[in-house]
Amino acid sequence: MYKIIQRTGFPDQIYRKSDGAWIPKASDNTDYQQFLQDVNERGISNTVEGPDVVTPDYKSQRMSEYPSIEDQLDKIYHTSLTAWKSEIKAIKDKYPKTNSGSTAVGSVPSWVQEEVDKLP
Amino acid sequence: MSIRISQPAINLREKLTEVDTPPIGAHGSELMNSSSVNESFDLVKAGRKNIIINGDMQIAQRGTSKTGFNGSPNWVFSTVDRWKLGMSGAGTWTSSQDTDVPVGQGFTKSWKLDCTTADAAVDSGDYFLLEQRIEANRMAHLCWGTAGAKPVTLSFWVKSAVTGDGNAMFVGDGFNTTRIINQTFTIHNANEWEFKTMSFLAHGPENSFTVNTGTGMRLWIWFKAGATWTAGQGTRNYWRNNASNQQAPGTTINIASSTSNNLWITGVQLEEGYNVTPFDYKSYDEELRECQRYFIRRFLLGQCSTGFSQSGGGYNSHLMNVPLPCQMRTQPTVTFENATQSGTFQPGGNAANFGTLGLGPDFISVTTGSTSTTWTTQVVSHSAPKILVHAEL
């Protein structure tokens, strides 16, 4: 059984669960060739699992949207504490504490079937 | 005073005969007749020549002894680098790198296979094979698939507890249609080192041959073969389309017949031409470097992370670049030993959960699994985690 691994900015990888192997999507790699063969013989649904789709928790979401400390201090200095508070509150409201984050399994990317279809 | 000088009589006819037959051997005559440096070099076969890697079994990155090989899984790298073991209906075996070698030949290691569960019956589908896959790039100079194709000569030292005929075969994967050629060899005496050599015909332009990073050919050395593989008739040492029953005709040996059976092999050489020449000895580091194009196993101890890549928009892990000693054949598969070892990182004592992020031509970016934000960098302080990088054929 395999799992597709997706990481921002990098090509997809294939994780082989039986031995924890990280397989690149490279046509000369014999493990990748075997992966395509396995999918071809057993079908996608029986062979490969889609990538994890991670929804970050509220802390991560808020952190990624908060302005930098310098910008926040600048805002307080040039406008007011109230304006700063309202800006921060908008972010907090956007990402409530009820959002504790989740991980779901996404669908298998289309390139898997496309590559299998190219097999002789 | 007169001086009298005398000298023995000269038989001119005898002298002329000596000129016609100078005191040199046949090969010496070939050398003297060579008209260019290229021709002389070709006759001497100087320089690097062994197409086989780790023919003297010096390198065993995966370990020096492992038990329980029974064909499941099959075609596995057992101990010595580059050599695979394939079997079906051939009992169970222990594979090891051994120090039993032919005396006075300069070898220090051999590959030993020790039968721990016998299978005396030779059923039709049974086989026991030693395999090395050869990258097509490594045999480009043979010019196979062209009018200038060169023959090859295989030689090796073998010691077997069982006598009989084995079979050496090439599977030409690099051809547009898989082609095979084989010859038998005889084990004359049990438990004695014997030197085997045989030449194989060149394969001309009847089939095209692709030179790339894929498998050019596989060397198979058979030590058990059932009727499925032996039933074919016809000329040996002849290139033909692959057919199961033509793969091992003439193989009579059954190395799996008893748990008393051991098999050793070393000094495997495959070279261009019809002549066998002395083994192409390499230093340990040279041989290791050639093996590392296909497989690397290295410690991570002492390797530092480059810092934590945050969860929001990052990779939620400390990252690490692992340098490789050479470029590999292709983008490699990566596995880890003790990938989730506790107490791997200092400071902090975090556990590991290694994965790969991306690959460069000679390094691998690794996610360590440590989510510590307390420390800007961490070092692997445990000797257990290792990275295994596979680009085998």
Side-chain angles (χ1 to χ4, degrees), chain B residues 215-292:
Chain B
T215 304
M217 67 172 169
R218 284 170 276 171
L219 165 63
W220 282 0
I221 308 177
W222 297 71
F223 289 94
K224 177 175 186 176
T228 300
W229 321 106
T230 60
Q233 301 295 315
T235 313
R236 301 271 73 79
N237 196 16
Y238 171 79
W239 283 103
R240 65 180 77 228
N241 285 344
N242 187 23
S244 298
N245 65 1
Q246 293 290 357
Q247 291 186 352
T251 306
T252 59
I253 196 169
N254 177 10
I255 196 67
S257 61
S258 163
T259 54
S260 302
N261 292 358
N262 291 340
L263 174 70
W264 291 262
I265 188 167
T266 192
V268 186
Q269 178 154 280
L270 180 67
E271 59 193 306
E272 177 194 325
Y274 282 119
N275 299 314
V276 63
T277 65
F279 188 78
D280 184 8
Y281 295 96
K282 294 175 197 150
S283 63
Y284 180 89
D285 61 302
E286 281 181 288
E287 199 74 73
L288 177 63
R289 203 172 303 123
E290 293 207 336
C291 292
Q292 286 180 326

Side-chain angles (χ1 to χ4, degrees), chain B residues 294-360:
Chain B
Y294 305 92
F295 177 73
I296 295 167
R297 178 176 181 263
R298 56 157 293 184
F299 281 81
L300 289 170
L301 180 68
Q303 189 82 35
C304 291
S305 79
T306 53
F308 176 68
S309 177
Q310 67 177 12
S311 54
Y315 303 107
N316 193 29
S317 172
H318 273 253
L319 305 180
M320 183 182 282
N321 281 339
V322 180
L324 302 177
C326 61
Q327 287 193 26
M328 306 199 73
R329 180 187 66 84
T330 183
Q331 284 188 58
T333 297
V334 177
T335 58
F336 296 90
E337 282 180 11
N338 303 303
T340 56
Q341 176 68 48
S342 61
T344 290
F345 297 104
Q346 289 296 337
N350 301 75
N353 187 11
F354 287 108
T356 60
L357 189 59
L359 301 166

Side-chain angles (χ1 to χ4, degrees), chain B residues 73-368:
Chain B
N74 207 0
W75 301 108
V76 290
F77 293 97
S78 56
T79 49
V80 287
D81 274 49
R82 302 292 297 120
W83 289 97
K84 272 184 174 179
L85 195 53
M87 70 177 85
S88 178
T92 306
W93 294 78
T94 293
S95 168
S96 60
Q97 185 191 47
D98 203 50
T99 54
D100 188 341
V101 291
V103 175
Q105 298 300 322
F107 302 114
T108 58
K109 297 287 192 298
S110 62
W111 182 16
K112 178 184 177 184
L113 294 153
D114 177 0
C115 186
T116 55
T117 304
D119 189 335
V122 184
D123 298 325
S124 59
D126 290 358
Y127 59 89
F128 184 92
L129 282 169
L130 315 183
E131 178 193 83
Q132 179 158 144
R133 294 182 175 215
I134 299 165
E135 184 180 337
N137 281 326
R138 225 179 138 74
M139 44 185 291
H141 61 293
L142 299 178
C143 303
W144 282 8
T146 75
K150 315 279 197 317
V152 290
T153 295
L154 175 72
S155 55
F156 56 90
W157 286 88
V158 62
K159 177 177 168 180
S160 165
V162 188
T163 59
D165 287 351
N167 186 60
M169 169 185 169
F170 293 113
V171 184
D173 296 286
F175 291 105
N176 57 344
T177 299
T178 304
R179 304 277 283 169
I180 61 170
I181 191 170
N182 49 42
Q183 287 184 62
T184 54
F185 60 88
T186 303
I187 305 287
H188 296 284
N189 301 303
N191 293 314
E192 287 183 16
W193 281 104
E194 296 181 7
F195 184 62
K196 306 299 170 193
T197 177
M198 58 204 85
S199 295
F200 293 83
L201 296 173
H203 192 304
E206 308 81 46
N207 295 86
S208 62
F209 186 85
T210 303
V211 174
N212 59 15
T213 57
T215 304
M217 67 172 169
R218 284 170 276 171
L219 165 63
W220 282 0
I221 308 177
W222 297 71
F223 289 94
K224 177 175 186 176
T228 300
W229 321 106
T230 60
Q233 301 295 315
T235 313
R236 301 271 73 79
N237 196 16
Y238 171 79
W239 283 103
R240 65 180 77 228
N241 285 344
N242 187 23
S244 298
N245 65 1
Q246 293 290 357
Q247 291 186 352
T251 306
T252 59
I253 196 169
N254 177 10
I255 196 67
S257 61
S258 163
T259 54
S260 302
N261 292 358
N262 291 340
L263 174 70
W264 291 262
I265 188 167
T266 192
V268 186
Q269 178 154 280
L270 180 67
E271 59 193 306
E272 177 194 325
Y274 282 119
N275 299 314
V276 63
T277 65
F279 188 78
D280 184 8
Y281 295 96
K282 294 175 197 150
S283 63
Y284 180 89
D285 61 302
E286 281 181 288
E287 199 74 73
L288 177 63
R289 203 172 303 123
E290 293 207 336
C291 292
Q292 286 180 326
R293 176 169 169 77
Y294 305 92
F295 177 73
I296 295 167
R297 178 176 181 263
R298 56 157 293 184
F299 281 81
L300 289 170
L301 180 68
Q303 189 82 35
C304 291
S305 79
T306 53
F308 176 68
S309 177
Q310 67 177 12
S311 54
Y315 303 107
N316 193 29
S317 172
H318 273 253
L319 305 180
M320 183 182 282
N321 281 339
V322 180
L324 302 177
C326 61
Q327 287 193 26
M328 306 199 73
R329 180 187 66 84
T330 183
Q331 284 188 58
T333 297
V334 177
T335 58
F336 296 90
E337 282 180 11
N338 303 303
T340 56
Q341 176 68 48
S342 61
T344 290
F345 297 104
Q346 289 296 337
N350 301 75
N353 187 11
F354 287 108
T356 60
L357 189 59
L359 301 166
D362 47 16
F363 70 91
I364 295 169
S365 295
V366 167
T367 53
T368 71

Side-chain angles (χ1 to χ4, degrees), chain A residues 25-97:
Chain A
K25 193 182 156 194
S27 58
D28 274 356
N29 183 295
T30 51
D31 294 307
Y32 178 67
Q33 292 164 2
Q34 186 63 53
F35 162 71
L36 294 180
Q37 287 289 348
D38 289 347
V39 174
N40 191 35
E41 288 168 13
R42 298 175 212 158
I44 282 187
S45 58
N46 297 319
T47 314
V48 58
E49 188 178 274
D52 285 344
V53 179
V54 178
T55 304
D57 64 8
Y58 73 95
K59 287 181 186 171
S60 299
Q61 290 175 313
R62 288 177 181 181
M63 274 176 64
S64 63
E65 286 208 17
Y66 285 147
S68 69
I69 296 296
E70 291 84 351
D71 287 345
Q72 290 186 48
L73 290 171
D74 214 35
K75 177 123 190 165
I76 293 167
Y77 179 81
H78 286 294
T79 56
S80 67
L81 204 57
T82 308
W84 168 76
K85 270 190 170 177
S86 65
E87 185 181 357
I88 296 298
K89 185 172 186 307
I91 296 170
K92 287 181 182 293
D93 290 346
K94 187 176 172 185
Y95 301 112
K97 283 191 172 178

